[in-house]
Amino acid sequence: MSAPFNRPGSDFGTLASGAGGPRPVFGRAVSGTLGPGAQHRSRRLAPAARPVHALPPPPALSAPWRQSSHPLARRWLALCLRIERAAARTLRCHDLGQDIGSRHWFHGAATCTVLAGLALAFWPSFTPLRAAPLTALDEQIAGEFAAQGIRPLAQGAVNGRHFAAGPRVVHLAAAPERASITMTATLGESDSIAGMLQRAGLTQSDAGRTASLITQALPDSQPNSHLAPGARFQMVLGPHAGPLDPRPLESLSLRARFDLALDVRREGGALVLHKQPIPVSVAPLRLTGIVGSSLYRSARAAGVSPNIVQDYLRTIDSALPFEDIAPTDEFDIIVSYRRAADGQGEMGDLLYAGISRDGHPRAQLLRWGNDGAFFSPETMKGQATDSSDSGLLVAPVAGHVTSGFGYRFHPILGFTRLHAGIDIGAPWGSPIHAVSDGTVSFAGWHGGHGEYVRLDHGGGIGTGYGHMSRIAVAPGAHVSRGQVIGYVGSTGLSTGPHLHYELYRGGQAVDPSSVRMIARTRAVDPAQLAAYRARLRGLMALRPGAI
């Protein structure tokens, strides 16, 4: 029984079986058994223990044109099959590692040698390719390359060609200019209106006339009458009278104040000013928040302007030392907020400054009176007006002790040192009284104490009063108990308005709180006190953030 070795219909080879087992037979198909000599040669040609497996059947004809019934396709298929049969008889694909020395082995080796020779014959050459010769550049082409090159620009050179105007270009005697120019100018620090307008391009006469009109519209008798640096002028300049002449002013608009706008227009050849008042509504605005790590930053984050924060800090420092304010405390700021009819708004004066802890107020200071001083509810009560006990010292000023006697961390110098007195917080300009009869031994500037007064009361007792805003006595003058010797301020090394009060015994500073003092306050009109309390209740009823 024989099995096909290659394709069906080809006589490339068959597998024959006999006494020696299956063996390949090349050429025509044979059958039968092998003799002893043939068996011996078969054992030398191939290992006896290696089985011979049949090759897999060839793939089916899957090409569409091979399955077509068209006459031309059938003829092409017959030609292809004849070529395949011829190649199968001639070309041998044999494993050169088996049946070494046999006829079919030599046939396969010859086929491999021929194919390798053909591959080497078509092996590409690695000889370098010769490039095209460089084109010779004449002077014209070299100039063209230099004009269009960008490398000289990196070396600071100027290249490119300048083309002359052609016959289609119409030459103009002068370049046309715009009939009017709209521009904005800003008034600088220490600058004049006339100088700023002249630098903007106005004629000297127009600049002087405009500055005069604006100055007359803002009389010195009114508050904020002068223009602040940063004021913006919107101007429209007319056409030139000549190429080198400045442009005349056609119109100018200016926001002179928050409640006033000014317009300067040219009417009948002259500049005329028109005032446009802007309606402004004023209402209190309340802003609150947590103190946190920085009272200043927290207030700024709440929307308070920088100048209002500074006023608030100075006011609070007069009633409560900063070291007594905890990060969990709440600040309370009420300002007068002005809103213009055009939608712009700005903060006015500070009306109320407060600090609270757990919902309970620790400091409440309300602006009261014509002088704009801040008063607390306790200050407005006026607990005593005088003392008949001549053996006691009267309080030098009406207020609260904000810093005691002893070593403390100086808020300005930044290190710990002896605080040889007590600080009494009081509104700016509050009168300072002599605690007892005595003589003025010093009155004037005294280093970190600022404006300072020293009194000698006899018996080795002396008192000192620092950080005054104004001194009301002269050196060598005699003062009586309760006499005004100066006014509260914040001169010297001070963070806010208060009185630095010192007490000396035998030339050594002692704690003033160790000596009993009687508060000396002014009597308060009951009507003023009732109005103060009503105003305070009204402000406390405001909702934070609402106007």
Side-chain angles (χ1 to χ4, degrees):
M1 186 69 181
S2 61
F5 182 74
N6 201 349
R7 287 188 177 89
S10 67
D11 55 354
F12 179 72
T14 58
L15 289 178
S17 61
R23 60 186 179 87
V25 178
F26 299 92
R28 308 181 83 183
V30 297
S31 61
T33 59
L34 298 177
Q39 293 180 5
H40 177 70
R41 288 193 302 271
S42 177
R43 284 194 296 269
R44 286 191 296 108
L45 292 175
R50 178 177 298 174
V52 179
H53 301 281
L55 294 178
L61 301 178
S62 57
W65 64 272
R66 293 200 174 200
Q67 301 176 1
S68 175
S69 59
H70 195 276
L72 295 179
R74 301 306 300 172
R75 293 180 182 179
W76 177 253
L77 178 58
L79 177 60
C80 291
L81 292 177
R82 285 196 297 270
I83 296 175
E84 290 178 3
R85 294 189 187 98
R89 289 191 302 268
T90 305
L91 299 178
R92 297 298 181 97
C93 297
H94 180 73
D95 186 0
L96 299 181
Q98 297 181 2
D99 298 335
I100 299 175
S102 63
R103 181 172 56 86
H104 60 273
W105 184 88
F106 283 106
H107 196 167
T111 302
C112 181
T113 303
V114 172
L115 294 178
L118 292 176
L120 293 176
F122 292 99
W123 188 273
S125 176
F126 289 98
T127 303
L129 298 177
R130 295 180 60 86
L134 296 178
T135 304
L137 302 179
D138 56 11
E139 184 178 356
Q140 181 179 2
I141 297 177
E144 182 72 17
F145 284 166
Q148 298 182 8
I150 62 174
R151 184 174 181 180
L153 297 177
Q155 309 298 331
V158 177
N159 60 354
R161 293 190 304 273
H162 300 278
F163 295 92
R168 295 179 179 272
V169 177
V170 178
H171 294 273
L172 299 177
E177 296 185 356
R178 289 178 292 177
S180 62
I181 296 178
T182 302
M183 61 183 306
T184 301
T186 304
L187 184 65
E189 189 77 27
S190 303
D191 199 359
S192 64
I193 300 177
M196 182 271 297
L197 294 177
Q198 280 187 292
R199 290 194 302 272
L202 271 69
T203 63
Q204 184 176 3
S205 59
D206 286 351
R209 175 60 178 169
T210 303
S212 176
L213 292 175
I214 294 175
T215 303
Q216 294 175 5
L218 301 174
D220 295 337
S221 59
Q222 297 182 3
N224 302 325
S225 59
H226 300 285
L227 289 179
R232 299 173 65 85
F233 293 73
Q234 303 287 340
M235 297 177 291
V236 177
L237 306 183
H240 284 291
L244 302 179
D245 295 334
R247 292 175 177 269
L249 177 65
E250 293 293 335
S251 63
L252 180 146
S253 59
L254 166 68
R255 184 76 173 260
R257 293 197 307 264
F258 187 75
D259 58 349
L260 178 64
L262 301 179
D263 287 338
V264 179
R265 303 188 188 94
R266 187 174 296 276
E267 298 177 358
L271 295 176
V272 181
L273 183 138
H274 299 276
K275 293 184 178 181
Q276 296 182 359
I278 303 175
V280 176
S281 61
V282 182
L285 172 63
R286 187 177 187 181
L287 300 170
T288 61
I290 304 297
V291 172
S293 59
S294 173
L295 179 56
Y296 179 86
R297 294 193 186 96
S298 299
R300 291 286 291 120
V304 186
S305 60
N307 59 330
I308 296 296
V309 176
Q310 296 293 342
D311 294 342
Y312 171 79
L313 295 178
R314 285 193 295 265
T315 303
I316 287 296
D317 185 60
S318 65
L320 187 66
F322 289 136
E323 53 266 24
D324 291 345
I325 300 177
T328 56
D329 293 346
E330 297 183 5
F331 64 87
D332 196 351
I333 301 175
I334 300 179
V335 298
S336 61
Y337 189 81
R338 301 196 301 168
R339 183 181 295 276
D342 58 358
Q344 298 188 21
E346 68 173 7
M347 291 186 179
D349 297 329
L350 177 66
L351 302 179
Y352 171 83
I355 290 288
S356 61
R357 178 177 296 176
D358 298 331
H360 302 286
R362 300 192 62 206
Q364 288 183 307
L365 297 169
L366 176 65
R367 185 184 294 273
W368 190 256
N370 296 329
D371 56 353
F374 285 85
F375 295 91
S376 65
E378 293 79 9
T379 306
M380 290 295 296
K381 290 179 182 178
Q383 296 177 351
T385 59
D386 204 346
S387 174
S388 59
D389 192 346
S390 59
L392 300 177
L393 302 178
V394 298
V397 70
H400 298 80
V401 177
T402 59
S403 183
F405 180 89
Y407 285 92
R408 68 166 187 176
F409 182 81
H410 199 280
I412 296 179
L413 299 179
F415 58 86
T416 301
R417 72 172 188 173
L418 177 65
H419 185 223
I422 61 174
D423 291 341
I424 303 175
W428 192 291
S430 300
I432 300 174
H433 308 275
V435 296
S436 185
D437 298 341
T439 303
V440 180
S441 60
F442 180 87
W445 188 266
H446 192 259
H449 290 142
E451 297 293 346
Y452 180 79
V453 172
R454 179 78 176 266
L455 301 180
D456 184 8
H457 302 285
I461 302 298
T463 54
Y465 311 82
H467 304 310
M468 292 184 178
S469 62
R470 185 162 57 92
I471 297 176
V473 293
H478 179 76
V479 295
S480 59
R481 183 171 185 251
Q483 179 181 339
V484 176
I485 59 175
Y487 300 91
V488 173
S490 184
T491 56
L493 298 178
S494 172
T495 59
H498 70 282
L499 170 65
H500 174 75
Y501 174 60
E502 299 174 337
L503 178 63
Y504 295 91
R505 181 176 293 167
Q508 299 294 326
V510 296
D511 188 359
S513 60
S514 62
V515 180
R516 184 182 176 189
M517 293 183 295
I518 297 178
R520 178 185 179 89
T521 59
R522 61 180 181 178
V524 180
D525 185 4
Q528 288 288 330
L529 181 59
Y532 174 90
R533 292 176 176 175
R535 174 64 172 170
L536 183 61
R537 286 194 301 269
L539 294 179
M540 293 297 98
L542 290 176
R543 184 167 54 89
I547 300 178

